[in-house]
Amino acid sequence: MDYTITITETQKKAFEYVAADVDEWITNAATVRANIAKEEILSLNTAHCNKNNIAIAVGEDAQVTQAYTLGVVKTAADRNKEASEAKS
């Protein structure tokens, strides 16, 4: 999946001061953070399935999907919306 970001020329110059390849740095940061989130989801899903005697889906992709389907995890957007609605 491709995402596009926009930075100013000054931000690009600043990034070049700390990163040899700006695109590679941004891609690496996003990939690493996504992998951390994936590991958190897998752990939560495994714990939930074991606690509730639910067969764990086979493969990481299927387990992440299972975690969302079972309501073990929600997107950050959904959590933010729920928090905003709770404040109202």
Side-chain angles (χ1 to χ4, degrees):
M1 188 162 290
D2 292 327
Y3 287 91
T4 302
I5 66 161
T6 303
I7 60 176
T8 66
E9 186 63 31
T10 300
Q11 289 169 325
K12 178 180 178 267
K13 288 177 184 177
F15 236 136
E16 290 172 336
Y17 173 72
V18 296
D21 184 320
V22 175
D23 183 64
E24 181 180 306
W25 191 96
I26 293 168
T27 300
N28 182 60
T31 302
V32 168
R33 186 59 187 100
N35 285 335
I36 291 168
K38 179 188 71 173
E39 292 302 322
E40 292 172 5
I41 292 168
L42 295 176
S43 178
L44 291 167
N45 188 61
T46 299
H48 175 81
C49 289
N50 286 336
K51 181 179 178 182
N52 295 287
N53 295 316
I54 299 170
I56 299 171
V58 177
E60 291 182 344
D61 293 345
Q63 289 172 32
V64 169
T65 299
Q66 181 181 39
Y68 278 101
T69 301
L70 294 175
V72 175
V73 297
K74 298 177 183 179
T75 66
D78 286 342
R79 294 191 314 272
N80 289 342
K81 182 179 176 186
E82 289 173 359
S84 291
E85 289 171 353
K87 290 179 183 178
S88 300

